[in-house]
Amino acid sequence: MLYLNEPAPAVNSLHINSQRTVVVFCNDCKLPVTSSAKVIRSTDPAIADQYGLLRSDGLVGPGYAVITSTGVVRYRTFDPAPGQHSGEIDRLVRTLP
Amino acid sequence: MKWFAEFSRHHLVTTSVILIFEILFYRQYAHLGAEFHFWLHGLFGASIGLCALTIWQLCTKRGSRLSGWEAGALGHLYSAIPDIIFVATGVLHMYWMDILALHISIHFIPSPIATMLAIFLLCLLSYVLVQGKYRWIGCIVLGLAGVILAVALWHRQPIPTTLQQVKHQTVKYSWLCPMWDTDSH
């Protein structure tokens, strides 16, 4: 469910422009493949914290956030293997503006 | 063995079909890493089915052609419609899907599985009591299930809409169950 609805944090740091974006937070996980959105990786703990994807032990993710072309974050979740869940992520981003 | 003799061929067939349906259903959820949803919606759906059957029997004062098994399975099917739609067509969960057995809200009640198990057991007990002609006690037990549901919904956490709310959300479990890769089906 796309339950979030607020401006995405750190859009400039993440170089997010006006296209649907999946920000994957992890150090060395495989990235998901989708033709419906730009996929970028972030390993920055400060940004991960803003997305609620910094673990209590200080590790980044693994997880991802889904951002609309208008810069609104609509979904974020921890995910142990985003690269293996391209289908799910693609379904999410295809519904976005 | 009297009960077995009374167990009609119709019920034998439907019970078998329901068992197969539930096993396949569980395997589908497990494949998606979503066992939590199977139990949550399964228990509440079965409760709705049993509750409806019990109320029918209380109102009409006669038996139904449906067995408890059948009513429970139909209730489960009803409560799982949003998940079926998601897997089949990719339509995401939305707030309006609460009309389908509170499909969204019950994720946010305190101790979701334990609460739904308690409600299910009370509905089952109520059904058995009404079947056994203990109608008033059955009514009271069914009412107790309703009160527990009402209290649980009253104390449910609000659905977060901001990252700040997500970070401070104490009900974490409902978000730790992503629906895994669905295009492999």
Side-chain angles (χ1 to χ4, degrees), chain A residues 1 3 5-6 49 88 91, chain B residues 86 93 160-161 163 167 179:
Chain A
M1 192 170 82
Y3 59 97
N5 195 5
E6 69 172 312
D49 187 36
E88 177 198 350
R91 284 193 177 188
Chain B
F86 174 74
H93 283 29
T161 56
L163 291 165
K167 286 168 73 173
M179 302 289 276

Side-chain angles (χ1 to χ4, degrees), chain A residues 32-95:
Chain A
V33 178
T34 170
S35 58
S36 310
K38 177 181 163 186
V39 180
I40 57 175
R41 182 199 303 271
S42 174
T43 58
D44 188 327
I47 299 176
D49 187 36
Q50 290 183 67
Y51 280 88
L53 289 170
L54 185 68
R55 285 166 28 185
S56 54
D57 56 8
L59 292 175
V60 173
Y64 62 89
V66 173
I67 296 162
T68 68
S69 59
T70 54
V72 174
V73 60
R74 296 302 317 277
Y75 184 74
R76 94 6 142 197
T77 186
F78 281 102
D79 186 337
Q84 292 175 27
H85 307 133
S86 300
E88 177 198 350
I89 293 167
D90 189 58
R91 284 193 177 188
L92 283 170
V93 295
R94 268 191 283 141
T95 63

Side-chain angles (χ1 to χ4, degrees), chain B residues 40-87:
Chain B
L40 184 68
H41 301 300
L43 287 168
F44 190 50
S47 302
I48 290 173
L50 285 171
C51 175
L53 189 58
T54 305
I55 290 171
W56 169 265
Q57 289 177 344
L58 282 168
C59 292
T60 61
K61 297 185 179 178
R62 59 187 166 89
S64 165
R65 292 181 66 184
L66 277 182
S67 68
W69 275 92
E70 292 159 348
L74 285 173
H76 186 180
L77 193 61
Y78 167 67
S79 70
I81 286 173
D83 294 339
I84 295 168
I85 291 173
F86 174 74
V87 172

Side-chain angles (χ1 to χ4, degrees), chain B:
Chain B
M1 296 300 285
K2 190 185 171 193
W3 68 271
F4 190 76
E6 289 173 352
F7 206 72
S8 69
R9 183 188 290 181
H10 166 78
H11 283 138
L12 205 59
V13 170
T14 55
T15 302
S16 305
V17 169
I18 288 163
L19 273 174
I20 292 167
F21 159 76
E22 291 290 343
I23 289 167
L24 291 176
F25 223 37
Y26 180 81
R27 283 172 58 91
Q28 180 70 22
Y29 275 91
H31 181 70
L32 298 168
E35 294 93 332
F36 170 80
H37 295 261
F38 174 86
W39 293 114
L40 184 68
H41 301 300
L43 287 168
F44 190 50
S47 302
I48 290 173
L50 285 171
C51 175
L53 189 58
T54 305
I55 290 171
W56 169 265
Q57 289 177 344
L58 282 168
C59 292
T60 61
K61 297 185 179 178
R62 59 187 166 89
S64 165
R65 292 181 66 184
L66 277 182
S67 68
W69 275 92
E70 292 159 348
L74 285 173
H76 186 180
L77 193 61
Y78 167 67
S79 70
I81 286 173
D83 294 339
I84 295 168
I85 291 173
F86 174 74
V87 172
T89 67
V91 173
L92 302 180
H93 283 29
M94 287 175 246
Y95 295 115
W96 66 261
M97 291 180 176
D98 253 355
I99 63 169
L100 297 161
L102 303 171
H103 194 90
I104 307 298
S105 290
I106 58 172
H107 289 85
F108 297 94
I109 63 173
S111 305
I113 297 288
T115 304
M116 283 307 148
L117 180 61
I119 288 170
F120 169 72
L121 290 174
L122 285 172
C123 288
L124 184 61
L125 178 62
S126 170
Y127 169 72
V128 170
L129 286 168
V130 170
Q131 289 278 96
K133 311 303 176 195
Y134 298 100
R135 305 173 75 86
W136 280 108
I137 303 173
C139 280
I140 291 166
V141 172
L142 196 60
L144 183 60
V147 168
I148 290 174
L149 177 65
V151 171
L153 288 171
W154 181 263
H155 288 283
R156 75 184 186 277
Q157 296 220 356
I159 298 172
T161 56
T162 68
L163 291 165
Q164 205 60 27
Q165 289 170 353
V166 170
K167 286 168 73 173
H168 293 103
Q169 178 76 264
T170 55
V171 180
K172 301 287 185 192
Y173 196 45
S174 53
W175 303 116
L176 294 175
C177 191
M179 302 289 276
W180 293 149
D181 196 0
T182 48
D183 60 358
S184 60
H185 301 281

